[in-house]
Amino acid sequence: MTQHRPISRKHHGKDGTAPAGDADRPKPFSLAGVCKALGPGLITGAADDDPSGIGTYSQAGAQLGYGIGWTMLMTFPLMAAIQEISARVGRVTGHGIAGNVGKHYPGWLLAAAVMLLFIANTVNIAADLSAMADATKLLIGGPAILYVVLFGVASVAAQIFMNYRRYVAVLKWLTLSLFAYVAALAFAKVSWMQALAGVLVPRLTWSADYFTTIVAILGTTISPYLFFWQASQEAEEQQADLAKHPLIEKHYGARREFFRIRADTITGMAFSNVIALSIIVTAAASLHAAGKTDIQTSAQAAEALRPIAGPFAEVIFALGIIGTGLLAIPVLAGATAYAVGEGRRWPVGLTRKPREAIAFYSVLALSGGIGIALNFTPIDPISALYWSAVINGVLAVPVMVLLMVMARHKAVMGRFVIGGSLYWLGWLSTAAMALSVIAMGIGFLL
Protein backbone atom coordinates (compact mmCIF):
# COMPACT_ATOMS: atom_id res chain seq x y z
CA MET A 1 0.00 0.00 0.00
CA THR A 2 1.34 3.43 -0.89
CA GLN A 3 2.39 5.57 2.07
CA HIS A 4 1.42 9.25 1.88
CA ARG A 5 3.87 11.62 3.51
CA PRO A 6 2.44 14.57 5.41
CA ILE A 7 2.86 17.88 3.61
CA SER A 8 5.14 20.30 5.40
CA ARG A 9 3.47 23.54 6.46
CA LYS A 10 6.42 25.61 5.26
CA HIS A 11 5.39 25.00 1.66
CA HIS A 12 1.97 26.62 2.16
CA GLY A 13 0.62 30.04 2.91
CA LYS A 14 -1.54 30.96 5.91
CA ASP A 15 -4.73 30.16 4.00
CA GLY A 16 -3.51 26.69 3.05
CA THR A 17 -2.78 27.56 -0.57
CA ALA A 18 0.42 26.61 -2.34
CA PRO A 19 2.73 29.37 -3.57
CA ALA A 20 2.21 30.36 -7.19
CA GLY A 21 5.51 28.80 -8.25
CA ASP A 22 4.73 25.39 -6.75
CA ALA A 23 2.16 22.75 -7.72
CA ASP A 24 -0.36 25.46 -8.63
CA ARG A 25 1.63 26.07 -11.80
CA PRO A 26 0.29 24.33 -14.96
CA LYS A 27 2.17 21.10 -15.68
CA PRO A 28 4.51 20.88 -18.69
CA PHE A 29 2.81 19.96 -21.96
CA SER A 30 2.45 16.28 -22.81
CA LEU A 31 0.02 14.57 -25.18
CA ALA A 32 -0.94 11.97 -22.56
CA GLY A 33 -1.59 14.73 -20.05
CA VAL A 34 -3.76 16.63 -22.50
CA CYS A 35 -5.87 13.54 -23.29
CA LYS A 36 -6.31 12.83 -19.58
CA ALA A 37 -7.27 16.45 -18.81
CA LEU A 38 -9.94 16.59 -21.51
CA GLY A 39 -13.25 15.53 -20.06
CA PRO A 40 -16.43 17.48 -19.25
CA GLY A 41 -15.66 20.28 -21.73
CA LEU A 42 -14.85 17.93 -24.61
CA ILE A 43 -17.92 15.75 -24.01
CA THR A 44 -20.14 18.83 -23.62
CA GLY A 45 -18.86 20.34 -26.87
CA ALA A 46 -19.33 17.08 -28.76
CA ALA A 47 -22.83 16.57 -27.31
CA ASP A 48 -23.73 20.02 -28.63
CA ASP A 49 -23.62 18.50 -32.15
CA ASP A 50 -26.47 16.08 -31.46
CA PRO A 51 -28.71 14.71 -34.26
CA SER A 52 -31.15 17.61 -33.90
CA GLY A 53 -28.24 20.07 -34.09
CA ILE A 54 -26.94 18.28 -37.19
CA GLY A 55 -30.39 18.79 -38.72
CA THR A 56 -30.22 22.52 -37.94
CA TYR A 57 -26.74 22.93 -39.45
CA SER A 58 -27.69 20.87 -42.52
CA GLN A 59 -30.77 22.99 -43.03
CA ALA A 60 -28.74 26.21 -42.63
CA GLY A 61 -26.16 25.10 -45.22
CA ALA A 62 -28.80 23.80 -47.64
CA GLN A 63 -30.93 26.93 -47.49
CA LEU A 64 -28.33 29.69 -47.19
CA GLY A 65 -25.11 28.17 -48.58
CA TYR A 66 -21.63 29.20 -47.51
CA GLY A 67 -22.78 32.65 -46.39
CA ILE A 68 -24.02 31.41 -43.00
CA GLY A 69 -20.61 30.04 -41.96
CA TRP A 70 -19.70 33.23 -40.07
CA THR A 71 -22.11 32.27 -37.27
CA MET A 72 -19.71 29.52 -36.20
CA LEU A 73 -16.89 32.03 -35.72
CA MET A 74 -19.20 34.40 -33.85
CA THR A 75 -20.66 31.81 -31.46
CA PHE A 76 -17.34 30.22 -30.50
CA PRO A 77 -16.14 32.78 -27.89
CA LEU A 78 -19.70 33.19 -26.57
CA MET A 79 -20.33 29.50 -25.95
CA ALA A 80 -16.79 28.93 -24.65
CA ALA A 81 -17.20 31.74 -22.09
CA ILE A 82 -20.58 30.62 -20.72
CA GLN A 83 -19.46 26.97 -20.54
CA GLU A 84 -16.23 27.89 -18.74
CA ILE A 85 -18.24 29.90 -16.21
CA SER A 86 -20.55 26.90 -15.70
CA ALA A 87 -17.54 24.61 -15.18
CA ARG A 88 -15.92 26.99 -12.71
CA VAL A 89 -19.10 27.18 -10.63
CA GLY A 90 -19.14 23.38 -10.41
CA ARG A 91 -15.44 23.04 -9.55
CA VAL A 92 -15.35 25.86 -7.01
CA THR A 93 -18.52 24.92 -5.12
CA GLY A 94 -18.60 21.14 -5.58
CA HIS A 95 -22.23 21.45 -6.72
CA GLY A 96 -23.96 21.87 -10.06
CA ILE A 97 -26.09 24.84 -11.06
CA ALA A 98 -29.33 23.46 -9.60
CA GLY A 99 -27.61 22.62 -6.31
CA ASN A 100 -26.32 26.18 -5.97
CA VAL A 101 -29.66 27.73 -6.94
CA GLY A 102 -31.36 25.56 -4.30
CA LYS A 103 -28.91 26.74 -1.63
CA HIS A 104 -28.85 30.46 -2.39
CA TYR A 105 -32.05 31.45 -4.25
CA PRO A 106 -35.85 31.09 -3.90
CA GLY A 107 -37.34 27.62 -4.34
CA TRP A 108 -39.87 28.71 -6.98
CA LEU A 109 -37.04 29.86 -9.25
CA LEU A 110 -35.38 26.47 -9.06
CA ALA A 111 -38.67 24.60 -9.59
CA ALA A 112 -39.54 26.61 -12.71
CA ALA A 113 -36.08 26.17 -14.27
CA VAL A 114 -35.92 22.43 -13.53
CA MET A 115 -39.44 21.79 -14.87
CA LEU A 116 -38.71 23.57 -18.16
CA LEU A 117 -35.35 21.80 -18.45
CA PHE A 118 -37.02 18.40 -17.90
CA ILE A 119 -39.59 19.07 -20.64
CA ALA A 120 -37.10 20.46 -23.18
CA ASN A 121 -34.50 17.72 -22.61
CA THR A 122 -37.03 14.90 -22.76
CA VAL A 123 -38.50 16.15 -26.03
CA ASN A 124 -34.97 16.57 -27.38
CA ILE A 125 -34.20 12.94 -26.44
CA ALA A 126 -37.31 11.84 -28.37
CA ALA A 127 -36.25 13.79 -31.47
CA ASP A 128 -32.65 12.52 -31.29
CA LEU A 129 -33.84 8.90 -30.97
CA SER A 130 -36.09 9.42 -34.00
CA ALA A 131 -33.16 10.78 -36.04
CA MET A 132 -30.87 7.91 -34.98
CA ALA A 133 -33.54 5.36 -35.88
CA ASP A 134 -34.10 6.94 -39.31
CA ALA A 135 -30.34 6.94 -39.95
CA THR A 136 -30.07 3.26 -38.96
CA LYS A 137 -33.03 2.38 -41.20
CA LEU A 138 -31.31 4.24 -44.02
CA LEU A 139 -28.21 2.08 -43.57
CA ILE A 140 -29.61 -1.40 -42.90
CA GLY A 141 -33.40 -1.18 -43.25
CA GLY A 142 -35.79 -2.61 -40.69
CA PRO A 143 -38.39 -1.01 -38.39
CA ALA A 144 -37.35 2.42 -37.13
CA ILE A 145 -39.36 2.10 -33.92
CA LEU A 146 -37.30 -0.94 -32.89
CA TYR A 147 -34.12 1.11 -33.18
CA VAL A 148 -35.71 3.86 -31.07
CA VAL A 149 -36.23 1.38 -28.23
CA LEU A 150 -32.80 -0.25 -28.59
CA PHE A 151 -30.88 3.04 -28.62
CA GLY A 152 -32.94 4.52 -25.79
CA VAL A 153 -32.66 1.51 -23.48
CA ALA A 154 -28.94 1.04 -24.23
CA SER A 155 -28.14 4.71 -23.46
CA VAL A 156 -30.03 4.71 -20.15
CA ALA A 157 -28.74 1.29 -19.05
CA ALA A 158 -25.12 2.29 -19.75
CA GLN A 159 -25.43 5.32 -17.48
CA ILE A 160 -27.00 3.32 -14.67
CA PHE A 161 -24.91 0.15 -14.71
CA MET A 162 -21.49 1.00 -16.17
CA ASN A 163 -18.51 1.99 -14.05
CA TYR A 164 -18.22 5.79 -14.09
CA ARG A 165 -14.61 5.99 -15.30
CA ARG A 166 -15.23 3.43 -18.01
CA TYR A 167 -18.41 5.21 -19.04
CA VAL A 168 -16.64 8.58 -19.37
CA ALA A 169 -13.94 6.87 -21.45
CA VAL A 170 -16.67 5.50 -23.76
CA LEU A 171 -18.14 9.01 -24.15
CA LYS A 172 -14.68 10.37 -25.02
CA TRP A 173 -14.26 7.69 -27.70
CA LEU A 174 -17.72 8.50 -29.08
CA THR A 175 -16.59 12.07 -29.76
CA LEU A 176 -14.51 10.58 -32.59
CA SER A 177 -17.76 9.81 -34.44
CA LEU A 178 -18.01 13.53 -35.18
CA PHE A 179 -15.03 13.27 -37.51
CA ALA A 180 -17.47 11.60 -39.91
CA TYR A 181 -18.52 15.11 -40.91
CA VAL A 182 -14.96 16.16 -41.64
CA ALA A 183 -14.64 13.01 -43.77
CA ALA A 184 -17.89 13.89 -45.57
CA LEU A 185 -16.20 17.06 -46.84
CA ALA A 186 -13.95 14.87 -48.99
CA PHE A 187 -16.97 13.83 -51.06
CA ALA A 188 -18.35 17.35 -51.52
CA LYS A 189 -17.09 19.67 -54.26
CA VAL A 190 -16.31 22.58 -51.98
CA SER A 191 -15.47 26.05 -53.26
CA TRP A 192 -12.94 26.77 -50.53
CA MET A 193 -12.61 30.48 -51.31
CA GLN A 194 -16.37 30.94 -50.98
CA ALA A 195 -16.42 28.84 -47.83
CA LEU A 196 -13.62 30.92 -46.27
CA ALA A 197 -15.37 34.15 -47.24
CA GLY A 198 -18.56 32.84 -45.64
CA VAL A 199 -16.71 32.29 -42.35
CA LEU A 200 -14.76 35.57 -42.27
CA VAL A 201 -17.22 38.03 -43.83
CA PRO A 202 -20.72 38.23 -42.31
CA ARG A 203 -23.39 38.66 -44.98
CA LEU A 204 -26.82 39.51 -43.62
CA THR A 205 -30.04 38.97 -45.54
CA TRP A 206 -32.97 40.93 -44.18
CA SER A 207 -35.58 38.21 -44.26
CA ALA A 208 -37.59 36.30 -41.67
CA ASP A 209 -36.14 32.96 -42.81
CA TYR A 210 -32.56 34.21 -42.46
CA PHE A 211 -33.03 35.48 -38.91
CA THR A 212 -35.02 32.39 -37.94
CA THR A 213 -32.00 30.31 -39.01
CA ILE A 214 -29.65 32.46 -36.91
CA VAL A 215 -31.96 32.05 -33.91
CA ALA A 216 -31.98 28.28 -34.48
CA ILE A 217 -28.17 28.17 -34.66
CA LEU A 218 -27.82 30.22 -31.45
CA GLY A 219 -30.38 28.00 -29.72
CA THR A 220 -28.52 24.89 -30.86
CA THR A 221 -25.05 26.04 -29.81
CA ILE A 222 -25.96 27.72 -26.49
CA SER A 223 -28.33 25.30 -24.73
CA PRO A 224 -29.25 25.19 -21.00
CA TYR A 225 -28.71 21.45 -20.63
CA LEU A 226 -25.02 21.98 -21.53
CA PHE A 227 -24.61 24.47 -18.65
CA PHE A 228 -26.16 22.06 -16.14
CA TRP A 229 -24.21 19.06 -17.45
CA GLN A 230 -20.75 20.65 -17.44
CA ALA A 231 -21.14 22.21 -13.99
CA SER A 232 -22.40 18.92 -12.54
CA GLN A 233 -19.67 16.91 -14.25
CA GLU A 234 -16.97 19.16 -12.79
CA ALA A 235 -18.49 18.57 -9.36
CA GLU A 236 -18.69 14.84 -10.09
CA GLU A 237 -15.05 14.65 -11.24
CA GLN A 238 -14.01 16.36 -8.03
CA GLN A 239 -16.07 13.97 -5.88
CA ALA A 240 -14.67 10.93 -7.73
CA ASP A 241 -11.07 11.98 -6.93
CA LEU A 242 -10.34 11.67 -3.20
CA ALA A 243 -7.38 14.05 -3.59
CA LYS A 244 -9.67 16.87 -4.76
CA HIS A 245 -11.97 19.14 -2.75
CA PRO A 246 -14.25 22.04 -3.72
CA LEU A 247 -11.94 25.00 -4.28
CA ILE A 248 -14.03 27.18 -1.99
CA GLU A 249 -12.97 24.86 0.85
CA LYS A 250 -9.35 24.19 -0.18
CA HIS A 251 -7.75 26.75 -2.47
CA TYR A 252 -4.67 24.63 -3.20
CA GLY A 253 -4.24 23.98 -6.94
CA ALA A 254 -6.90 26.48 -8.06
CA ARG A 255 -4.78 28.06 -10.78
CA ARG A 256 -3.94 24.68 -12.28
CA GLU A 257 -7.61 23.63 -12.15
CA PHE A 258 -8.77 26.80 -13.90
CA PHE A 259 -6.09 26.31 -16.54
CA ARG A 260 -7.35 22.75 -17.10
CA ILE A 261 -11.00 23.88 -17.26
CA ARG A 262 -10.19 26.59 -19.81
CA ALA A 263 -8.14 24.24 -22.02
CA ASP A 264 -10.82 21.54 -21.79
CA THR A 265 -13.68 23.95 -22.55
CA ILE A 266 -11.96 25.77 -25.41
CA THR A 267 -10.98 22.42 -26.97
CA GLY A 268 -14.53 21.09 -26.65
CA MET A 269 -16.22 24.21 -28.02
CA ALA A 270 -13.70 24.57 -30.87
CA PHE A 271 -14.25 20.90 -31.74
CA SER A 272 -18.01 21.44 -31.68
CA ASN A 273 -17.87 24.47 -33.98
CA VAL A 274 -15.40 22.91 -36.44
CA ILE A 275 -17.76 19.95 -36.83
CA ALA A 276 -20.79 22.23 -37.16
CA LEU A 277 -18.96 24.26 -39.81
CA SER A 278 -18.06 21.03 -41.66
CA ILE A 279 -21.75 20.09 -41.76
CA ILE A 280 -22.74 23.55 -43.03
CA VAL A 281 -20.05 23.52 -45.73
CA THR A 282 -20.93 19.96 -46.81
CA ALA A 283 -24.61 20.88 -47.10
CA ALA A 284 -23.79 24.13 -48.91
CA ALA A 285 -21.46 22.46 -51.42
CA SER A 286 -23.74 19.49 -52.09
CA LEU A 287 -27.35 20.37 -51.35
CA HIS A 288 -27.50 24.16 -51.77
CA ALA A 289 -25.43 23.98 -54.98
CA ALA A 290 -27.88 21.39 -56.37
CA GLY A 291 -30.94 23.43 -55.40
CA LYS A 292 -32.02 21.01 -52.61
CA THR A 293 -32.98 23.47 -49.91
CA ASP A 294 -35.95 21.71 -48.30
CA ILE A 295 -34.07 19.75 -45.61
CA GLN A 296 -35.91 19.24 -42.33
CA THR A 297 -33.91 16.54 -40.52
CA SER A 298 -30.39 15.16 -40.27
CA ALA A 299 -31.57 11.86 -41.78
CA GLN A 300 -33.04 13.71 -44.78
CA ALA A 301 -29.69 15.46 -45.21
CA ALA A 302 -27.87 12.10 -45.26
CA GLU A 303 -30.32 10.66 -47.79
CA ALA A 304 -30.14 13.75 -50.01
CA LEU A 305 -26.34 13.45 -50.22
CA ARG A 306 -26.47 10.10 -52.06
CA PRO A 307 -27.30 11.31 -55.60
CA ILE A 308 -25.01 14.34 -55.27
CA ALA A 309 -21.94 13.27 -53.29
CA GLY A 310 -22.25 9.48 -53.61
CA PRO A 311 -23.23 6.59 -51.31
CA PHE A 312 -20.10 6.88 -49.15
CA ALA A 313 -21.01 10.42 -48.13
CA GLU A 314 -24.51 9.24 -47.22
CA VAL A 315 -23.15 6.35 -45.12
CA ILE A 316 -20.59 8.55 -43.34
CA PHE A 317 -23.22 11.18 -42.58
CA ALA A 318 -25.67 8.57 -41.25
CA LEU A 319 -23.04 6.88 -39.06
CA GLY A 320 -22.18 10.27 -37.58
CA ILE A 321 -25.84 10.80 -36.64
CA ILE A 322 -25.91 7.51 -34.74
CA GLY A 323 -22.59 8.15 -32.97
CA THR A 324 -23.50 11.68 -31.90
CA GLY A 325 -26.90 10.51 -30.70
CA LEU A 326 -25.29 7.88 -28.48
CA LEU A 327 -23.17 10.69 -27.04
CA ALA A 328 -25.92 13.31 -26.70
CA ILE A 329 -28.76 11.26 -25.17
CA PRO A 330 -26.78 10.43 -21.98
CA VAL A 331 -25.88 14.13 -21.63
CA LEU A 332 -29.54 15.20 -22.03
CA ALA A 333 -30.86 12.57 -19.59
CA GLY A 334 -27.94 13.10 -17.21
CA ALA A 335 -28.34 16.89 -17.14
CA THR A 336 -32.03 16.42 -16.29
CA ALA A 337 -31.28 13.96 -13.47
CA TYR A 338 -28.56 16.20 -12.00
CA ALA A 339 -30.84 19.26 -12.06
CA VAL A 340 -33.79 17.49 -10.42
CA GLY A 341 -31.63 15.56 -7.93
CA GLU A 342 -29.53 18.54 -6.83
CA GLY A 343 -32.64 20.68 -6.54
CA ARG A 344 -34.27 18.08 -4.28
CA ARG A 345 -30.96 17.53 -2.40
CA TRP A 346 -30.92 13.84 -3.21
CA PRO A 347 -27.69 11.83 -3.44
CA VAL A 348 -26.66 12.35 -7.08
CA GLY A 349 -23.87 11.27 -9.39
CA LEU A 350 -22.94 8.66 -11.94
CA THR A 351 -20.14 7.51 -9.61
CA ARG A 352 -22.80 6.19 -7.21
CA LYS A 353 -24.19 2.69 -7.49
CA PRO A 354 -27.90 2.48 -8.39
CA ARG A 355 -28.94 1.50 -4.85
CA GLU A 356 -27.10 4.55 -3.46
CA ALA A 357 -28.95 7.06 -5.65
CA ILE A 358 -32.27 5.44 -6.54
CA ALA A 359 -34.16 8.73 -7.03
CA PHE A 360 -31.41 10.23 -9.21
CA TYR A 361 -31.28 7.21 -11.52
CA SER A 362 -35.10 7.02 -11.55
CA VAL A 363 -35.30 10.55 -12.98
CA LEU A 364 -32.65 9.66 -15.56
CA ALA A 365 -34.60 6.54 -16.59
CA LEU A 366 -37.92 8.45 -16.58
CA SER A 367 -36.57 11.13 -18.92
CA GLY A 368 -35.19 8.48 -21.29
CA GLY A 369 -38.36 6.40 -21.03
CA ILE A 370 -40.66 9.30 -21.89
CA GLY A 371 -38.34 10.17 -24.79
CA ILE A 372 -38.80 6.63 -26.12
CA ALA A 373 -42.58 6.70 -25.51
CA LEU A 374 -43.06 9.98 -27.42
CA ASN A 375 -41.98 8.16 -30.57
CA PHE A 376 -45.04 5.88 -30.21
CA THR A 377 -47.45 8.86 -30.21
CA PRO A 378 -48.83 10.83 -33.18
CA ILE A 379 -46.60 13.76 -32.13
CA ASP A 380 -44.37 14.82 -35.02
CA PRO A 381 -40.78 14.67 -33.68
CA ILE A 382 -39.80 17.63 -35.88
CA SER A 383 -42.59 19.80 -34.48
CA ALA A 384 -41.70 18.58 -31.00
CA LEU A 385 -38.07 19.50 -31.60
CA TYR A 386 -39.10 22.96 -32.75
CA TRP A 387 -41.04 23.56 -29.54
CA SER A 388 -38.23 22.14 -27.42
CA ALA A 389 -35.92 24.67 -29.12
CA VAL A 390 -38.39 27.42 -28.20
CA ILE A 391 -38.45 26.23 -24.56
CA ASN A 392 -34.63 25.94 -24.55
CA GLY A 393 -34.29 29.45 -25.96
CA VAL A 394 -36.67 30.94 -23.41
CA LEU A 395 -35.10 28.97 -20.55
CA ALA A 396 -31.53 29.82 -21.55
CA VAL A 397 -31.88 33.55 -20.87
CA PRO A 398 -32.96 33.45 -17.20
CA VAL A 399 -30.56 30.56 -16.51
CA MET A 400 -27.68 32.52 -18.03
CA VAL A 401 -28.62 35.66 -16.08
CA LEU A 402 -28.76 33.57 -12.90
CA LEU A 403 -25.43 31.95 -13.74
CA MET A 404 -23.77 35.33 -14.27
CA VAL A 405 -25.17 36.69 -11.00
CA MET A 406 -24.07 33.50 -9.21
CA ALA A 407 -20.57 33.82 -10.67
CA ARG A 408 -20.18 37.20 -8.90
CA HIS A 409 -21.87 36.14 -5.67
CA LYS A 410 -19.29 35.81 -2.87
CA ALA A 411 -21.55 33.53 -0.86
CA VAL A 412 -21.43 31.09 -3.79
CA MET A 413 -17.92 31.53 -5.20
CA GLY A 414 -15.95 32.88 -2.22
CA ARG A 415 -12.61 34.31 -3.34
CA PHE A 416 -13.10 32.87 -6.83
CA VAL A 417 -15.80 35.25 -8.07
CA ILE A 418 -15.48 35.63 -11.83
CA GLY A 419 -14.40 38.93 -13.35
CA GLY A 420 -12.43 40.41 -16.23
CA SER A 421 -12.90 39.51 -19.89
CA LEU A 422 -14.49 36.13 -19.08
CA TYR A 423 -17.21 37.86 -17.06
CA TRP A 424 -18.02 40.36 -19.82
CA LEU A 425 -17.96 37.66 -22.50
CA GLY A 426 -20.48 35.76 -20.39
CA TRP A 427 -22.79 38.79 -20.34
CA LEU A 428 -22.29 39.28 -24.09
CA SER A 429 -23.34 35.67 -24.63
CA THR A 430 -26.39 36.26 -22.43
CA ALA A 431 -27.32 39.40 -24.39
CA ALA A 432 -26.96 37.55 -27.72
CA MET A 433 -29.27 34.81 -26.47
CA ALA A 434 -31.79 37.35 -25.17
CA LEU A 435 -31.83 39.14 -28.53
CA SER A 436 -32.41 35.83 -30.32
CA VAL A 437 -35.40 35.08 -28.09
CA ILE A 438 -36.80 38.58 -28.73
CA ALA A 439 -36.33 38.05 -32.47
CA MET A 440 -38.08 34.69 -32.19
CA GLY A 441 -40.97 36.33 -30.33
CA ILE A 442 -41.29 39.03 -33.00
CA GLY A 443 -41.31 36.29 -35.63
CA PHE A 444 -44.27 34.64 -33.90
CA LEU A 445 -46.20 37.92 -33.85
CA LEU A 446 -45.61 38.77 -37.53
Side-chain angles (χ1 to χ4, degrees):
M1 183 175 176
T2 304
Q3 297 295 319
H4 296 280
R5 296 180 182 177
I7 300 172
S8 172
R9 291 178 184 273
K10 69 181 180 180
H11 294 301
H12 293 76
K14 292 180 180 179
D15 61 356
T17 61
D22 198 16
D24 208 25
R25 182 186 298 162
K27 292 180 179 179
F29 176 83
S30 74
L31 186 58
V34 169
C35 292
K36 187 177 178 181
L38 295 178
L42 176 66
I43 293 169
T44 301
D48 193 27
D49 293 325
D50 66 334
S52 58
I54 292 164
T56 298
Y57 301 133
S58 299
Q59 189 178 44
Q63 288 182 348
L64 302 172
Y66 298 117
I68 199 68
W70 63 271
T71 55
M72 293 298 100
L73 195 61
M74 179 197 75
T75 57
F76 170 64
L78 303 182
M79 64 192 293
I82 205 72
Q83 289 300 145
E84 182 179 340
I85 290 168
S86 301
R88 284 199 185 200
V89 167
R91 184 64 187 90
V92 168
T93 65
H95 299 285
I97 293 172
N100 280 298
V101 173
K103 286 176 65 179
H104 299 283
Y105 299 95
W108 64 264
L109 188 62
L110 174 66
V114 169
M115 182 185 68
L116 287 172
L117 185 76
F118 184 94
I119 294 170
N121 285 5
T122 301
V123 172
N124 213 328
I125 288 171
D128 282 354
L129 285 171
S130 175
M132 293 163 69
D134 287 344
T136 306
K137 184 178 179 180
L138 197 65
L139 292 175
I140 61 175
I145 199 67
L146 174 63
Y147 302 136
V148 166
V149 175
L150 289 175
F151 285 134
V153 170
S155 296
V156 170
Q159 282 185 290
I160 295 175
F161 298 111
M162 276 186 74
N163 172 273
Y164 175 73
R165 290 294 181 194
R166 190 175 301 155
Y167 182 67
V168 169
V170 169
L171 291 183
K172 283 185 182 182
W173 280 107
L174 278 172
T175 62
L176 296 177
S177 64
L178 287 168
F179 282 109
Y181 298 107
V182 178
L185 282 172
F187 298 93
K189 296 178 180 178
V190 179
S191 172
W192 291 108
M193 289 303 294
Q194 289 184 42
L196 186 61
V199 172
L200 299 178
V201 183
R203 285 179 288 176
L204 298 177
T205 302
W206 298 98
S207 69
D209 287 345
Y210 188 87
F211 283 104
T212 300
T213 302
I214 290 179
V215 169
I217 288 172
L218 273 173
T220 300
T221 54
I222 304 174
S223 298
Y225 76 89
L226 300 175
F227 317 153
F228 283 88
W229 170 263
Q230 190 162 355
S232 294
Q233 280 296 287
E234 280 295 336
E236 181 99 346
E237 292 277 332
Q238 170 255 300
Q239 291 162 15
D241 188 341
L242 296 178
K244 288 185 177 181
H245 301 273
L247 293 176
I248 199 169
E249 296 175 7
K250 292 195 176 182
H251 311 319
Y252 178 70
R255 187 181 304 175
R256 186 173 65 245
E257 284 296 282
F258 290 152
F259 178 85
R260 175 192 59 78
I261 286 171
R262 175 161 293 179
D264 183 26
T265 303
I266 288 176
T267 301
M269 298 308 114
F271 182 45
S272 172
N273 277 28
V274 165
I275 300 303
L277 182 60
S278 298
I279 296 167
I280 289 173
V281 170
T282 298
S286 301
L287 305 179
H288 182 78
K292 293 192 176 230
T293 60
D294 188 22
I295 299 296
Q296 299 297 321
T297 70
S298 50
Q300 282 181 13
E303 193 170 17
L305 284 173
R306 173 185 281 270
I308 302 163
F312 286 114
E314 177 193 32
V315 169
I316 289 169
F317 215 84
L319 286 172
I321 293 166
I322 296 166
T324 57
L326 289 171
L327 177 65
I329 288 171
V331 173
L332 285 159
T336 303
Y338 277 116
V340 175
E342 288 174 355
R344 301 292 297 174
R345 301 193 181 184
W346 295 334
V348 301
L350 297 172
T351 54
R352 297 179 186 271
K353 295 187 182 299
R355 65 177 178 274
E356 297 171 344
I358 294 172
F360 168 77
Y361 284 115
S362 295
V363 172
L364 192 153
L366 179 65
S367 182
I370 295 174
I372 294 170
L374 286 175
N375 281 277
F376 286 86
T377 68
I379 297 172
D380 177 12
I382 304 308
S383 297
L385 185 61
Y386 175 78
W387 286 108
S388 78
V390 171
I391 294 170
N392 264 324
V394 172
L395 176 61
V397 178
V399 169
M400 290 169 80
V401 169
L402 191 56
L403 184 61
M404 294 308 301
V405 171
M406 197 185 298
R408 291 287 284 184
H409 194 175
K410 278 203 173 235
V412 179
M413 299 291 285
R415 66 189 291 179
F416 298 112
V417 291
I418 293 170
S421 58
L422 178 62
Y423 178 70
W424 292 112
L425 263 177
W427 274 117
L428 183 60
S429 180
T430 305
M433 201 67 216
L435 287 173
S436 76
V437 171
I438 292 168
M440 187 162 50
I442 293 171
F444 278 131
L445 296 174
L446 295 178

